[in-house]
Amino acid sequence: MNDIVLDIYNSDKLIIRAVNLPNLHHSNGTIKYDCSIWANEFAMMMNNDFESVSSTLLIPNIGVHTYKNAGFLVNSDLSLVQHVAISDSGSNGSYAKGDFNANKANYNTIEQLSDYIKQNNHTTMNEVNLAIPINSVVGLVQVKCNNKFIHLKRMMIVKECIYQLTGINFDIYEYDMNQGKITKINLTDELIKKISELPNDVNDFDYWTDYSDELYEGSIFKKGFNR
């Protein structure tokens, strides 16, 4: 069975929008993971407000660096490419608001950037600015590291948060930034059990978005993890 993320990746059209892993915070007298940054970005997509977003094109077998150690994956064919640079372009502002600003674009298309990266075996972080609709998002991703299980639990919390917000159940992938490899993480019963038994951690999360005055709450493992 084909994996749509790997198909897009092997077609040189896979984008990562980097987002920080959720951190612990105090909420209503308890300690929880704060997923607000993730929730707000997906809420913006749901309201067609997520545009001029900084992201990075990933190319198979080339170690393209990312902004952060986690994020979500985007099919560039279903997004609107607005600015393409071979390195960090220092972008800010918005095309929609008329105040977008960045260093001069190097190319006009994803294909041109892809060719440059492959011809130069380029590993420095590139920057692509996109308008991202929610139907272009194809998965969640963590960057390979020595803290795999700790990071994976946080990604599982993100997965549950996004499912609660959008009703979409995204798979989680791991990206090897040094080798340029992406693999799907198979959330087996054994792996979920191992994650659930991590010491000195919590299972609860909350989040808010700019589109609601409510604070939403959730948890993993209490009712069974949504795979």
Side-chain angles (χ1 to χ4, degrees):
M1 183 175 179
N2 288 346
D3 185 309
I4 186 171
V5 168
L6 298 182
D7 287 346
I8 297 167
Y9 188 45
N10 289 326
S11 298
D12 303 338
K13 295 180 178 181
L14 189 66
I15 295 280
I16 178 174
R17 163 62 177 175
V19 186
N20 284 324
L21 288 163
N23 289 318
L24 291 169
H25 74 145
H26 289 275
S27 175
N28 296 328
T30 60
I31 298 176
K32 300 177 181 179
Y33 278 105
D34 181 6
C35 292
S36 298
I37 294 175
W38 291 83
N40 205 50
E41 294 205 354
F42 275 82
M44 291 174 72
M45 288 182 235
M46 294 169 72
N47 285 273
N48 298 315
D49 287 340
F50 205 50
E51 66 92 41
S52 302
V53 178
S54 295
S55 59
T56 300
L57 175 66
L58 303 179
I59 296 297
N61 304 313
I62 299 178
V64 177
H65 288 200
T66 66
Y67 283 82
K68 297 167 184 175
N69 56 8
F72 54 87
L73 299 168
V74 176
N75 180 355
S76 63
D77 271 351
L78 299 180
S79 60
L80 176 62
V81 177
Q82 298 169 320
H83 189 270
V84 180
I86 62 176
S87 60
D88 186 347
S89 64
S91 67
N92 58 76
S94 160
Y95 270 93
K97 295 178 181 178
D99 62 354
F100 181 80
N101 182 60
N103 296 335
K104 184 178 179 181
N106 299 106
Y107 296 112
N108 296 316
T109 68
I110 291 291
E111 289 77 16
Q112 290 171 318
L113 177 60
S114 170
D115 289 342
Y116 172 86
I117 294 171
K118 289 187 288 187
Q119 289 168 9
N120 293 274
N121 197 33
H122 191 63
T123 58
T124 303
M125 181 178 59
N126 63 76
E127 182 172 359
V128 179
N129 295 91
L130 305 166
I132 301 177
I134 196 162
N135 70 310
S136 69
V137 181
V138 292
L140 307 175
V141 64
Q142 67 180 46
V143 175
K144 185 176 182 179
C145 69
N146 293 331
N147 296 322
K148 175 178 179 177
F149 297 116
I150 295 173
H151 285 194
L152 180 55
K153 182 173 183 181
R154 296 188 187 188
M155 289 306 302
M156 290 165 68
I157 287 171
V158 167
K159 173 183 169 79
E160 199 71 12
C161 167
I162 299 305
Y163 178 76
Q164 181 174 313
L165 176 68
T166 68
I168 303 173
N169 188 23
F170 290 110
D171 289 326
I172 302 172
Y173 292 78
E174 183 174 71
Y175 174 58
D176 186 332
M177 194 163 55
N178 295 316
Q179 300 296 320
K181 303 286 187 183
I182 283 184
T183 54
K184 180 179 174 181
I185 296 176
N186 185 15
L187 295 172
T188 62
D189 290 340
E190 181 181 1
L191 180 55
I192 289 176
K193 183 175 186 295
K194 184 170 186 176
I195 298 297
S196 70
E197 294 173 347
L198 287 174
N200 304 316
D201 204 357
V202 300
N203 298 324
D204 299 331
F205 64 86
D206 58 21
Y207 62 91
W208 59 267
T209 77
D210 290 338
Y211 301 88
S212 173
D213 294 330
E214 294 185 62
L215 178 70
Y216 298 93
E217 298 177 307
S219 184
I220 57 173
F221 304 135
K222 286 184 178 179
K223 296 181 180 180
F225 180 67
N226 180 42
R227 282 181 281 190

